[in-house]
Amino acid sequence: YNAVLYFCKNTQACQSFGIPVTATPVKMNVCCMVIEKLQGTSPRLYTLIAPLVMRRSVLRLNNNYPFWTSRSHTWFVAEEGESVLGFVPVEVRDNGVVKINNYYVSGDDNRLLSRLIQEIVNDYRGDYTIQSVTHTRHIPVFLSEKFQTVKEWKLYVKMQYGEKPCGESANG
């Protein structure tokens, strides 16, 4: 169940290349970012992500924690041309929660992270509670996308989309 979504950074440039701003079945563009939604064990996912998750620099940005996936995961992968710009895996749990964890965006680009979060929220809000284990450096991005702090740790913050759950405080 792979889906490809097209978002043009420069509408005039995309149109001048004959690329409509809306979704199209053609994936040959240099001016547009594509967010591809992939199942957690998809061979295409491994092809796209492996070169990144094996890099020390990428692992360092994830506090040296490895990236993982399973059949319960759906990955939102941002691409431009042949380059992967970032990814956010989402674990769909049996308890009605989807959990964002171990994500990466090239250059810590807050606009890219925000766009990926928006796509996840559009996919899951209403049907699931959306939670995130968020790097402290990305708290402002998640706050701007209507996430609330649920629990604070040293390097991460547990956040949840929408209203703060009843009885939860910022400390736990």
Side-chain angles (χ1 to χ4, degrees):
Y1 72 33
N2 299 342
V4 178
L5 308 167
Y6 292 86
F7 303 98
C8 193
K9 288 182 179 177
N10 183 333
T11 304
Q12 288 179 334
C14 284
Q15 290 173 339
S16 71
F17 284 105
I19 301 168
V21 177
T22 57
T24 92
V26 180
K27 191 178 158 193
M28 46 182 249
N29 50 44
V30 292
C31 65
C32 297
M33 179 181 70
V34 176
I35 296 178
E36 192 168 354
K37 183 178 166 185
L38 297 164
Q39 200 276 330
T41 56
S42 161
R44 176 149 172 77
L45 173 69
Y46 288 98
T47 301
L48 289 172
I49 299 303
L52 283 173
V53 300
M54 302 296 278
R55 286 191 196 149
R56 286 182 189 165
S57 60
V58 172
L59 286 171
R60 266 193 296 274
L61 286 172
N62 201 39
N63 297 315
N64 293 316
Y65 287 106
F67 296 91
W68 70 89
T69 191
S70 72
R71 282 187 225 133
S72 301
H73 285 80
T74 299
W75 290 61
F76 292 77
V77 180
E79 307 161 65
E80 190 168 67
E82 297 297 313
S83 299
V84 173
L85 304 175
F87 55 81
V88 179
V90 176
E91 182 182 10
V92 180
R93 297 182 164 187
D94 291 336
N95 61 356
V97 171
V98 294
K99 185 176 178 184
I100 298 168
N101 197 356
N102 290 318
Y103 55 87
Y104 164 78
V105 289
S106 178
D108 257 351
D109 184 333
N110 289 340
R111 290 177 300 166
L112 174 58
L113 180 57
S114 182
R115 187 64 196 100
L116 286 160
I117 293 167
Q118 290 167 13
E119 203 57 47
I120 292 163
V121 167
N122 286 339
D123 249 36
Y124 292 107
R125 80 167 161 232
D127 297 326
Y128 293 91
T129 300
I130 306 169
Q131 295 180 342
S132 175
V133 176
T134 306
H135 291 276
T136 54
R137 67 184 180 273
H138 296 138
I139 292 171
V141 178
F142 280 81
L143 288 173
S144 73
E145 295 302 332
K146 301 180 184 162
F147 278 72
Q148 302 293 320
T149 299
V150 175
K151 185 173 185 173
E152 296 178 16
W153 297 292
K154 185 177 178 182
L155 300 174
Y156 301 95
V157 176
K158 179 179 179 181
M159 301 186 85
Q160 185 167 309
Y161 177 75
E163 299 290 321
K164 191 176 289 188
C166 295
E168 295 269 3
S169 70
N171 295 325

